């Protein structure tokens, strides 16, 4: 599924958005992606499209410290959680965007998501918000993680 997300970002970043699900399914099939992966990606993207800043209480932006629950710690690697905290503490993302990233990570249903997977999720969340993305942030999110570098 992450290959599909990368394909979407590469193909549609300059356009600003990707096509609707039906057109996207046809394009992904033509690009050679498996039907099951396409279905999972489209379902995940549908959940992402439903997320918006208005869906979260404004109090999240005034909260102090985020404690990650057991399920979140199971689904997101320790390094992935550190990376999310790094993004927020350096003001690359706001608390609501942090929650969106966590929501989309949990929606995958996988355990121990790596930092690289969290980077891709963060990129998709920010792109979905139609924000002007800092080129340095895009580069960092697209660059594979160096295990010797700690955020």
């Amino acid at each position: 599924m992450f290959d599909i997300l990368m394909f979407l970002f590469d193909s549609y970043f300059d356009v600003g958005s990707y096509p609707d699900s039906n057109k996207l399914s046809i394009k992904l099939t033509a690009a050679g992606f498996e039907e099951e992966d396409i279905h999972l990606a489209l379902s995940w993207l549908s959940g992402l499209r439903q997320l918006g800043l208005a869906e979260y209480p404004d109090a999240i932006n005034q909260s102090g410290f985020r404690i990650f629950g057991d399920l979140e710690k199971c689904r997101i690697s320790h390094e992935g959680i550190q990376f999310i905290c790094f993004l927020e503490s350096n003001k690359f993302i706001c608390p609501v965007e942090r929650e969106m990233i966590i929501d989309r990570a949990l929606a995958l249903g996988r355990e121990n998501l790596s930092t690289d997977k969290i980077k891709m999720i963060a990129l998709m969340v920010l792109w979905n918000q139609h924000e002007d993305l800092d080129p340095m942030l895009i580069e960092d999110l697209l660059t594979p993680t160096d295990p010797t570098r700690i955020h």
Side-chain angles (χ1 to χ4, degrees), residues 99-112:
E99 294 304 313
M100 291 176 177
I101 293 166
I102 294 167
D103 176 84
R104 294 292 77 209
L106 296 179
L108 291 172
R110 297 183 183 172
E111 290 188 9
N112 206 29

Side-chain angles (χ1 to χ4, degrees), residues 36-98:
E36 184 179 340
D37 290 337
I38 293 171
H39 176 72
L40 289 172
L42 292 178
S43 177
W44 189 87
L45 287 168
S46 174
L48 176 61
R49 283 185 172 167
Q50 293 174 11
L51 295 178
L53 297 176
E55 303 298 318
Y56 293 88
D58 195 38
I60 289 176
N61 287 316
Q62 281 74 42
S63 62
F65 186 73
R66 173 66 155 83
I67 306 277
F68 286 80
D70 291 338
L71 178 62
E72 294 164 339
K73 290 179 195 175
C74 179
R75 298 272 174 93
I76 304 170
S77 69
H78 178 70
E79 293 79 15
I81 290 173
Q82 286 180 319
F83 184 73
I84 293 169
C85 293
F86 167 81
L87 290 175
E88 183 181 7
S89 67
N90 285 285
K91 309 283 189 240
F92 289 116
I93 62 172
C94 70
V96 171
E97 291 164 335
R98 174 200 66 216

